Amino acid sequence: MTEKLELLEEHKSFDGVQLKYRHYSTVLGCNMTFSLFLPNKEKFETPPLVWWLSGLTCTDDNFTHKAGAQKKAAELGLAMLMPDTSPRGDDVADSADWDLGQGAGFYVNATQEPWARNFRMYDYIVTELTEIARDTFGLTGPESIMGHSMGGHGALVIGLRNTGRFRSISTFAPIVNPMEVPWGVKAFDAYLGTDRESWPEWDATKLLAEYDGKQIPILIDQGTGDGFFVMQLQPEKLSDIATEKGYPMTLRMQAGYDHSYYFIASFIDEHLEFHQKHL
């Protein structure tokens, strides 16, 4: 797998290095890019790994360019891996709608045509990209996962479905109950089909309600000025379930913050410190 990686960018950043790669994904059937931040090798030989999953319309560049996470990651000795949000390419199914198709993979394994051939972002992250991280870059230490919006949904689902793998989960403005909000219903109808029997395994509220594995601490930040808060996000649903179950989750309502990377940049250091504490 190593020989298939093509280095696209390399930048020294805060005593570490910011990298961007392209490779052919056998899981997704197309070329994919991902970004990777590595702290100073001499100080941190086998750093813990924090995954970042981005939201609708984003690529791996949004986080690396806008979040300002490299300085704190270098200080704490954390590696960060940022996948793209969906398969891409001329031969990959797409939609004219911005919230479906390329840029909107929703971190599920699609079962419906024309999406099933390429849209298997869950398997891509949990298996293929994980193997690259471990085998190529030696990132075999403890892991945590975080994300924003659609990526917050992905982080919660992947974290809760892989009991014992991740030490902590954090999200910014996550879609916590996609079965019941417009973004999620539209994507699940397309990718998973109108028969809702399979939907709960991709919905964090359903997963947490039935969860009986190792408790993974969760931190959620939600801006009160977020225009998507009421209709699309609804993190209080997940918080209520956590309270009922005595699950270790913290929901912080951040006054006036919106859905943008200005919000993420304002609190990313605290999220990385949260993960480092558990890693």
Side-chain angles (χ1 to χ4, degrees), residues 134-208:
R134 293 173 179 174
D135 297 344
T136 303
F137 299 102
L139 297 171
T140 57
E143 298 171 273
S144 290
I145 191 166
M146 61 179 176
H148 171 230
S149 193
M150 177 187 72
H153 143 74
L156 289 164
V157 167
I158 290 173
L160 292 171
R161 286 185 57 169
N162 291 273
T163 303
R165 174 171 169 178
F166 299 98
R167 300 285 183 87
S168 52
I169 303 168
S170 77
T171 65
F172 293 84
I175 305 169
V176 304
N177 188 199
M179 290 182 61
E180 304 297 337
V181 300
W183 278 342
V185 170
K186 181 176 182 176
F188 284 14
D189 272 344
Y191 299 147
L192 305 175
T194 55
D195 182 353
R196 293 192 169 206
E197 185 176 345
S198 67
W199 288 20
E201 65 181 321
W202 305 107
D203 187 300
T205 61
K206 306 299 183 184
L207 290 171
L208 188 64

Side-chain angles (χ1 to χ4, degrees), residues 13-14 18 61-74 80 261 264-269 272:
S13 179
F14 295 104
Q18 180 66 59
D61 287 337
N62 292 77
F63 182 79
T64 59
H65 293 179
K66 296 180 179 180
Q70 290 89 348
K71 183 176 181 179
K72 180 58 70 171
M80 296 186 299
Y261 267 82
I264 294 168
S266 298
F267 298 99
I268 190 63
D269 285 4
L272 292 176

Side-chain angles (χ1 to χ4, degrees), residues 13-19 34-41 43-53 63-64 69-83 132-134 137-146 166 168 268 271-273 275-276 279:
S13 179
F14 295 104
D15 199 32
V17 59
Q18 180 66 59
L19 304 159
F34 65 89
S35 292
L36 174 68
F37 177 81
L38 296 174
N40 188 316
K41 289 184 190 177
K43 295 179 182 177
F44 307 101
E45 185 176 349
T46 308
L49 175 61
V50 179
W51 293 77
W52 171 269
L53 306 184
F63 182 79
T64 59
Q70 290 89 348
K71 183 176 181 179
K72 180 58 70 171
E75 174 189 320
L76 298 176
L78 300 175
M80 296 186 299
L81 181 54
M82 292 71 73
I132 292 174
R134 293 173 179 174
F137 299 102
L139 297 171
T140 57
E143 298 171 273
S144 290
I145 191 166
M146 61 179 176
F166 299 98
S168 52
I268 190 63
H271 280 242
L272 292 176
E273 289 169 347
H275 291 303
Q276 198 270 346
L279 289 165

